Amino acid sequence: MSIAIDHSGKVALVTGSGAGIGREIARWMARAGAAVVVNDIRAGNATATVDLVTAEGGVATALVADLRDDTSIDRLVAGAVEWGGRLDVAINNVGMMAGRSPTRFIDMDGAYWRDLLDQNLVLTALCGRAEARVMMEQGSGVIINVSSGETTRPSPLMSSYGAAKAAINHLTWSMAVELGPHGIRVNAIAPGTTLTEQVEKAFPADHYEAIVAATPLRRETSPSELGRLSVYLASDLARCTTGQLILADAGAFLSRTRPPNLAPNPDPGK
Ligand SMILES: NC(=O)c1ccc[n+]([C@@H]2O[C@H](COP(=O)([O-])OP(=O)(O)OC[C@H]3O[C@@H](n4cnc5c(N)ncnc54)[C@H](O)[C@@H]3O)[C@@H](O)[C@H]2O)c1
């Protein structure tokens, strides 16, 4: 006997899937049979993800949108439904540092805080709202918010990012409570340090090595592991799971060893 996960006939939307973790989530959802809407702010990257999916025999379309614009979120979700006829799975993956560098708590101004909260909490909430409205009409759906392992182990210079992602954990609970009676499950996934192109560029090698050495599994998370986890969480195998934060961090949250501090941002305005 074997058990397979089959998302055939479902439509999945993955925000920010033109690169990194989102791209791998899109690829894995397509490998499991879902028709995937690839959203990104960068048109070339979105198309490149669609090409990767179709090269493997999957089905995907690119919908380019900057989700910092509230109306573009509603247009994106409407476009996804127009393309696929429904919306079964939505993975709210856009987040990160909003173009800011790690900065000491005492140096961050209001603009910095607002950028981080906008890019992570507000954008995720508004995507969830637009997706939930469609799913409530269907009476079914799965939403996965991308949080961070940072919410379990605060690091120096990352307080606004950590707080914004921790707010996503609470948002996930609240969404699960309000949307559960409508047949919608809402969970969050928390990547540990994941070597995407951007992260690779940002981390000095010794910082990365210290992070890896501090995890029980002595490794980083790969983007494809978030893809596999999303395929599972979106499936019937996880049908009784809602309102949970699922860590994919090689056990980093168990570690008592801190990675060395990043050098403070010399220009706190950035
Ligand atoms: N990489 C890590 O180590 C790590 C760890 C924990 C959590 N995360 C979270 O995982 C998610 C993905 O991170 P990643 O490392 O893959 O990032 P990434 O920068 O590699 O990819 C993000 C994608 O989102 C797109 N994007 C950015 N702003 C957008 C906007 N306003 N509208 C539409 N698209 C936009 C970018 O063009 C890019 O293709 C983020 O929420 C991040 O906070 C990442």
Side-chain angles (χ1 to χ4, degrees):
M1 191 173 119
S2 68
I3 296 170
I5 294 178
D6 184 4
H7 286 306
S8 304
K10 293 186 193 167
V11 176
L13 164 66
V14 189
T15 70
S17 50
I21 293 169
R23 170 174 280 173
E24 287 303 312
I25 294 175
R27 292 180 79 185
W28 277 86
M29 286 302 299
R31 284 172 186 153
V36 179
V37 178
V38 174
N39 155 258
D40 208 276
I41 193 174
R42 297 180 291 177
N45 287 51
T47 310
T49 300
V50 170
D51 290 346
L52 286 168
V53 168
T54 48
E56 291 184 338
V59 176
T61 192
L63 292 185
V64 178
D66 178 352
L67 302 186
R68 286 171 300 185
D69 168 10
D70 298 358
T71 56
S72 74
I73 291 177
D74 293 336
R75 277 202 302 274
L76 169 66
V77 172
V81 174
E82 197 181 327
W83 177 73
R86 50 187 296 111
L87 183 64
D88 300 285
V89 182
I91 293 134
N92 297 319
N93 168 70
V94 169
M96 278 306 235
M97 295 290 291
R100 302 287 195 153
S101 305
T103 297
R104 291 190 306 176
F105 171 71
I106 54 166
D107 291 331
M108 280 182 297
D109 61 11
Y112 188 116
W113 273 99
R114 283 183 201 99
D115 278 357
L116 267 286
L117 284 164
D118 248 22
Q119 174 93 354
N120 291 282
L121 173 63
V122 177
L123 205 144
T124 300
L126 292 181
C127 284
R129 180 180 75 155
E131 294 150 4
R133 284 175 172 169
V134 173
M135 291 173 177
M136 280 169 77
E137 283 203 6
Q138 288 173 180
S140 67
V142 175
I143 296 175
I144 299 173
N145 296 326
V146 178
S147 175
S148 171
E150 189 65 28
T151 63
T152 65
R153 270 194 338 151
S155 308
L157 313 184
M158 299 290 278
S159 57
S160 53
Y161 175 74
K165 286 295 195 185
I168 289 178
N169 299 351
H170 195 288
L171 172 73
T172 302
W173 287 345
S174 303
M175 289 171 69
V177 166
E178 287 198 29
L179 302 176
H182 300 278
I184 303 168
R185 291 191 294 113
V186 188
N187 289 293
I189 56 175
T193 301
T194 309
L195 271 198
T196 57
E197 235 173 85
Q198 257 207 42
V199 168
E200 209 162 346
K201 270 191 250 157
F203 278 5
D206 61 338
H207 180 72
Y208 166 70
E209 280 155 20
I211 289 172
V212 166
T215 63
L217 294 180
R218 301 285 189 270
R219 50 167 303 197
E220 78 289 344
T221 304
S222 78
S224 76
E225 282 154 349
L226 280 316
R228 292 159 196 251
L229 180 58
S230 301
V231 164
Y232 160 72
L233 272 180
S235 80
D236 199 48
L237 292 181
R239 67 185 178 192
C240 203
T241 301
T242 197
Q244 293 302 304
L245 173 70
I246 315 284
L247 299 176
D249 70 344
F253 86 104
L254 295 166
S255 169
R256 285 166 189 269
T257 318
R258 283 196 169 282
N261 291 358
L262 289 166
N265 180 7
D267 180 358
K270 296 219 176 109

